[in-house]
């Protein structure tokens, strides 16, 4: 099983100036996923939310969390503006949130080859990855890190661990597995 937080972090890190697509089953979970991506973003990414491709393009040095009102139109805009997104080069990705059965995925597959190739390999569907065996995953976490999730989080929360991509991923995973 691939872990959703690791998959999200991987999609964000895969191409610093690229396009990552996060697939959401519904609007409520979309809002939660936007918050999760914000929490996974490195501090220097300075993430911001927008529903506009133009706004996302104006901020190449910030992570743009693109939450469309009209998915199909946003995908078409991204497809048409790919060259603008690459010049000047982005230092942070655009993260596009699309509904699983929505118009955005249909347009991406049928009308937006530039946007699809730009995002290729940086798409993730956390809900499909979220089926997990907590006991097995806790054991794997302990084997990988040498401590239980709750114990690993103590120095993280105290600010004693470096804020690296690997540690952000471990923190997300530990918070997912921690017991109250």
């Amino acid at each position: 099983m691939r872990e959703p937080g690791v998959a999200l972090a991987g999609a964000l890190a895969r191409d610093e100036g690229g396009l990552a697509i996060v697939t959401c089953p519904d609007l409520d979970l979309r809002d939660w996923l936007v918050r999760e991506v914000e929490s996974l973003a490195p501090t220097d990414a300075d993430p911001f939310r927008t529903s506009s491709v133009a706004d996302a393009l104006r901020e190449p040095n910030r992570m743009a969390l693109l939450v469309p009102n009209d998915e199909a139109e946003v995908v078409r805009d991204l497809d048409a503006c790919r060259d603008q997104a690459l010049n000047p080069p982005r230092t942070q990705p655009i993260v596009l949130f699309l509904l699983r059965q929505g118009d955005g995925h249909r347009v991406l597959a049928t009308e937006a080859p530039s946007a699809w190739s730009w995002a290729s390999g940086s798409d993730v569907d956390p809900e499909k990855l979220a089926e997990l065996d907590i006991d097995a995953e806790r054991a794997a976490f302990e084997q990988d890190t040498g401590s239980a999730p709750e114990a690993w989080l103590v120095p993280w929360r105290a600010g004693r661990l470096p804020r690296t991509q690997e540690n952000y991923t471990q923190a997300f995973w530990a918070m997912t597995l921690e017991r109250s």
Side-chain angles (χ1 to χ4, degrees):
M1 177 212 74
R2 288 182 60 207
E3 192 278 314
V6 172
L8 277 171
L12 298 178
R14 200 165 287 120
D15 184 0
E16 289 181 346
L19 174 66
I21 298 173
V22 178
T23 300
C24 315
D26 58 47
L27 294 175
D28 289 334
L29 193 55
R30 181 180 73 178
D31 292 338
W32 181 83
L33 286 166
V34 172
R35 289 190 304 274
E36 285 302 301
V37 169
E38 284 174 323
S39 76
L40 287 170
T43 306
D44 64 343
D46 193 17
F48 72 101
R49 294 181 193 197
T50 183
S51 61
S52 160
V53 172
D55 289 348
L57 294 175
R58 271 193 285 278
E59 299 280 350
N61 297 318
R62 295 180 68 194
M63 181 184 290
L65 305 177
L66 187 52
V67 185
N69 295 322
D70 181 338
E71 289 187 356
E73 191 60 33
V74 164
V75 169
R76 286 184 192 105
D77 286 351
L78 281 169
D79 192 63
C81 296
R82 180 179 180 196
D83 289 342
Q84 289 176 344
L86 302 175
N87 190 15
R90 295 190 63 81
T91 62
Q92 297 296 327
I94 295 173
V95 183
L96 174 62
F97 295 85
L98 296 176
L99 295 175
R100 181 175 296 117
Q101 304 292 325
D103 289 339
H105 273 292
R106 180 188 52 75
V107 169
L108 194 62
T110 61
E111 300 176 36
S114 289
W116 180 246
S117 69
W118 183 18
S120 184
S122 294
D123 54 322
V124 65
D125 188 340
E127 186 181 66
K128 286 189 175 183
L129 301 174
E131 300 170 9
L132 61 111
D133 176 342
I134 295 290
D135 292 333
E137 296 300 329
R138 284 180 61 83
F141 183 92
E142 289 182 37
Q143 184 176 5
D144 289 347
T145 65
S147 61
E150 297 81 4
W152 190 92
L153 285 167
V154 170
W156 173 259
R157 288 179 171 145
R160 294 192 310 260
L161 292 175
R163 295 314 201 225
T164 64
Q165 182 66 40
E166 180 181 348
N167 283 344
Y168 274 106
T169 300
Q170 291 289 16
F172 178 85
W173 194 220
M175 287 180 232
T176 301
L177 297 172
E178 82 179 312
R179 293 185 176 138
S180 307

